[in-house]
Amino acid sequence: MQVKSENNNTLLSELKVKLLKVFLGGGQKRLDKQKSLGKLSARERIDYLLDNESESIEIGAFAGDNMYQEHGGCPSGGVVVKIGYIEGKQCVVVANDPTVKAGAWFPITGKKNLRAQEIAMENRLPIVYLVDSAGVYLPLQDEIFPDKEHFGRIFRNNAKMSSMGITQIAAVMGSCVAGGAYLPIMSDEALIVNKTGSIFLAGSYLVKAAIGESIDNESLGGATMHSEVSGVIDYKTETDSECLDTIKDIIGKIGDSDKAGFNRIDSVETATNTEELLNIIPNDRTKPYEIKDILNGIVDADSITEYKSDYGKTLFCGYARIDGWAVGVVANRRKVVKNGKGEMQFGGVIYSDSSDKATRFIANCNQKKIPLVFLQDVSGFMVGSKSEQGGIIKDGAKMVNALSNSVVPKFTIIIGNSFGAGNYAMCGKAFDPRLIVAWPTAKLAVMGGKQAAKVLLQIEKAKIKKQGTALSEQEEKDLLNKIETSYEQQTSPYYAAARLWTDGIIDPKDTRLWISMGIEMANNNPIKEKFNMGVLQV
């Protein structure tokens, strides 16, 4: 096993430092102000709600990272989302963070809330909303208000989840205004904290401007009015903690759901220390490593059964167990190998034979009702005349078809490169993985940085040539460096996580937890569809 590189050490340290900053939300001063009002912070509310010493995972911690800087930023998208356990029942919890622009909704806030609802709907998980928000952030209203995947979609999802029998509980623990007022009332049950919670379509200032009525916010939409007069609220509580205790009591009485029936036995520890996973990936992304060394730090010891080990060698396919759960693993191999014809194949590249193997394996997992786990470190599909004549597009299409029509839950871990069509074939975000996360070593782009920079440089040079001028050797070098720097920033896992292309960036040692909790939540939704790949070119 390789000695841990300084670069990987730095990447892991950077992740931890960035998370500590994210957890402060809008900053310590605003957190202190919350406390002075007798209110818990968004993360404290969630921690109070979840069972003590139980496992949880946070979705989209880096949402909004380094975005909206001209508006003061939007850490975590102004909302905290966790999957954890309340009274032993796995739930999704969504909490507005009032320290970030008073909990106002930025475009990324809407996207993150929709992601939380998507997880609840896919896995039939109860969802709890802890509401404390000033509503839509008006300077960016055109990016959050009218489109299909904007603010209104949340209320549509409220109604859909209700018809599906998915429990929704909303607690108004601060402001709840304008269109946002519909969210708690479209939930199954609504709670409010006296004196700090309020619900109204328009606040007192807007009411005065619109109809000339003078009224204070408490009389207009406070806890007493809504619990005693309008009947909008089901439970009035006096403190944050009392409100959260009531939610625990409600959740604790929910009956169990039908299960999908994924296979699980007693968990076994990994063969190698999970703390050592980053040891394996070299700094130089062109260098090889053994994917089984990675797997030995993720799956239960001695649980791997490799499928077609001597065929399609640039992809590993095999059965294993993770925390006792049976899984099918599809993982890129970075080693240079020889195929059955004695020809060399580049590691991290998907060839026709590996596509064919993966297609068959994905079908087998669907036949056996085994969840799929994809480990991405992929440069793309093989190019060139030989591959084109061999039908690489046809074989790649088969793999994508099998993936797209898969009915078992899929989980994606990006451990290295995630480039081009390889991202798609290895279950990128477009192919509906139940969860998709990246290691700090991940890079996401349509192609590698150096290759892309050279292509972009040629485009720029052609533009300049049309203008009747040319670049000197130094100017060309400077432009190439500038393009490379800009492109590399966009391949960062933080750039992807900020835009919710992934559900987060994780310490590799937490990979088992994410997959195990993911399969547990997927097990709540029985599979009703049949696996059918449709029309294929053989």
Side-chain angles (χ1 to χ4, degrees):
M1 188 173 286
Q2 300 175 17
V3 176
K4 185 178 287 187
S5 68
E6 285 302 315
N7 183 58
N8 286 351
N9 263 327
T10 302
L11 291 174
L12 198 52
S13 298
E14 180 187 6
L15 171 62
K16 291 175 180 177
V17 169
K18 280 178 170 283
L19 280 172
L20 287 174
K21 185 177 179 182
V22 160
F23 293 162
L24 288 175
Q28 192 60 53
K29 286 185 178 179
R30 290 175 183 169
L31 287 169
D32 292 341
K33 185 178 180 182
Q34 278 275 105
K35 292 278 178 63
S36 71
L37 296 171
K39 299 167 68 174
L40 299 173
S41 71
R43 282 190 165 79
E44 285 173 337
R45 287 167 174 169
I46 293 178
D47 290 343
Y48 186 99
L49 195 56
L50 298 181
D51 296 344
N52 290 334
E53 299 182 1
S54 64
E55 301 282 14
S56 66
I57 54 179
E58 182 168 347
I59 302 296
F62 289 108
D65 182 59
N66 209 31
M67 296 169 66
Y68 313 113
Q69 294 305 302
E70 67 276 23
H71 298 277
C74 189
S76 267
V79 63
V80 183
V81 176
K82 283 192 178 184
I83 301 169
Y85 302 88
I86 303 173
E87 299 297 303
K89 183 170 287 292
Q90 204 175 31
C91 299
V92 180
V93 185
V94 182
N96 298 114
D97 186 349
T99 69
V100 180
K101 296 290 184 183
W105 288 61
F106 282 65
I108 197 68
T109 316
K111 188 173 183 179
K112 187 170 174 179
N113 274 268
L114 288 172
R115 176 61 179 141
Q117 289 184 320
E118 179 184 39
I119 290 171
M121 293 169 80
E122 280 185 324
N123 303 288
R124 303 188 72 87
L125 291 182
I127 184 168
V128 178
Y129 308 99
L130 305 180
V131 183
D132 195 342
S133 171
V136 167
Y137 184 63
L138 289 178
L140 297 174
Q141 64 86 27
D142 62 321
E143 298 178 44
I144 179 66
F145 171 65
D147 209 349
K148 180 178 179 180
E149 297 296 326
H150 283 179
F151 196 66
R153 189 74 171 183
I154 290 160
F155 311 134
R156 175 263 188 194
N157 286 350
N158 286 144
K160 286 289 186 182
M161 279 191 277
S162 183
S163 70
M164 293 167 67
I166 297 171
T167 297
Q168 300 175 84
I169 297 172
V172 180
M173 309 182 79
S175 297
C176 182
V177 302
Y182 286 104
L183 186 146
I185 313 312
M186 294 191 73
S187 299
D188 300 347
E189 296 181 87
L191 305 88
I192 194 168
V193 180
N194 195 23
K195 302 302 181 185
T196 56
S198 58
I199 312 172
F200 33 64
L201 293 179
S204 56
Y205 292 125
L206 185 52
V207 167
K208 177 70 173 176
I211 64 173
E213 180 183 0
S214 296
I215 188 170
D216 63 272
N217 282 338
E218 188 65 24
S219 301
L220 180 65
T224 299
M225 193 284 290
H226 278 308
S227 59
E228 296 181 12
V229 180
S230 72
V232 162
I233 286 292
D234 303 306
Y235 308 91
K236 183 177 87 167
T237 61
E238 295 301 319
T239 63
D240 278 12
S241 56
E242 183 188 344
C243 180
L244 298 169
D245 284 334
T246 306
I247 294 172
K248 289 182 185 184
D249 186 63
I250 296 168
I251 294 286
K253 293 180 172 63
I254 297 174
D256 203 3
S257 60
D258 295 336
K259 302 299 181 186
F262 301 126
N263 184 278
R264 191 182 198 186
I265 60 175
D266 289 341
S267 178
V268 176
E269 291 297 320
T270 58
T272 59
N273 189 345
T274 58
E275 299 278 355
E276 300 300 321
L277 280 168
L278 272 187
N279 290 8
I280 299 159
I281 298 180
N283 285 347
D284 185 347
R285 299 303 168 82
T286 65
K287 297 289 185 185
Y289 62 87
E290 177 51 65
I291 191 60
K292 284 188 179 178
D293 290 341
I294 296 283
L295 290 174
N296 283 335
I298 295 174
V299 307
D300 296 4
D302 301 320
S303 68
I304 296 174
T305 303
E306 187 170 357
Y307 176 79
K308 289 185 183 288
S309 59
D310 297 321
Y311 180 72
K313 295 179 182 178
T314 63
L315 270 183
F316 170 92
C317 295
Y319 304 107
R321 290 190 182 274
I322 295 177
D323 195 23
W325 293 104
V327 296
V329 179
V330 181
N332 301 110
R333 270 203 174 101
R334 294 297 304 185
K335 293 189 348 182
V336 176
V337 296
K338 287 184 179 180
N339 65 14
K341 301 175 183 177
E343 301 164 331
M344 300 305 294
Q345 293 186 337
F346 297 104
V349 178
I350 303 175
Y351 289 77
S352 285
D353 55 356
S354 43
S355 298
D356 177 65
K357 176 170 80 171
T359 300
R360 178 79 175 181
F361 183 69
I362 291 168
N364 274 330
C365 287
N366 275 270
Q367 182 83 352
K368 297 174 176 69
K369 203 160 70 171
I370 299 174
L372 284 158
V373 175
F374 293 83
L375 298 182
Q376 287 195 11
D377 190 355
V378 59
S379 303
F381 283 88
M382 190 58 192
V383 296
S385 59
K386 188 172 183 179
S387 291
E388 298 294 357
Q389 291 167 12
I392 186 66
I393 295 175
K394 177 180 65 177
D395 292 321
K398 289 180 191 175
M399 183 176 174
V400 170
N401 192 311
L403 178 69
S404 302
N405 288 297
S406 177
V407 297
V408 296
K410 306 180 290 287
F411 303 90
T412 302
I413 316 295
I414 305 171
I415 66 175
N417 296 337
S418 180
F419 293 159
N423 167 284
Y424 299 159
M426 291 296 293
C427 198
K429 186 66 181 285
F431 293 84
D432 297 324
R434 296 293 176 98
L435 295 171
I436 175 170
V437 293
W439 287 5
T441 45
K443 287 182 177 290
L444 288 82
V446 73
M447 65 176 72
K450 291 191 180 297
Q451 300 93 319
K454 288 176 182 177
V455 172
L456 291 168
L457 177 64
Q458 294 304 316
I459 293 171
E460 289 299 317
K461 285 172 67 177
K463 285 182 184 177
I464 292 168
K465 187 175 181 180
K466 280 185 179 180
Q467 296 167 359
T469 58
L471 294 173
S472 68
E473 186 176 331
Q474 185 59 47
E475 286 173 332
E476 184 174 322
K477 185 178 179 181
D478 291 343
L479 181 56
L480 180 61
N481 288 335
K482 182 180 177 182
I483 291 170
E484 277 188 1
T485 300
S486 174
Y487 193 87
E488 283 297 324
Q489 287 175 347
Q490 293 183 19
T491 68
S492 161
Y494 294 97
Y495 190 91
R499 289 152 182 81
L500 289 174
W501 300 342
T502 66
D503 290 317
I505 305 168
I506 66 169
D507 186 328
K509 70 181 176 60
D510 294 328
T511 304
R512 269 170 70 85
L513 172 65
W514 276 76
I515 295 171
S516 178
M517 284 191 67
I519 298 174
E520 182 181 350
M521 70 184 191
N523 199 38
N524 287 299
N525 192 4
I527 297 171
K528 296 182 176 65
E529 306 92 339
K530 295 290 185 183
F531 176 65
N532 184 347
M533 288 177 59
V535 178
L536 292 174
Q537 288 190 359
V538 179

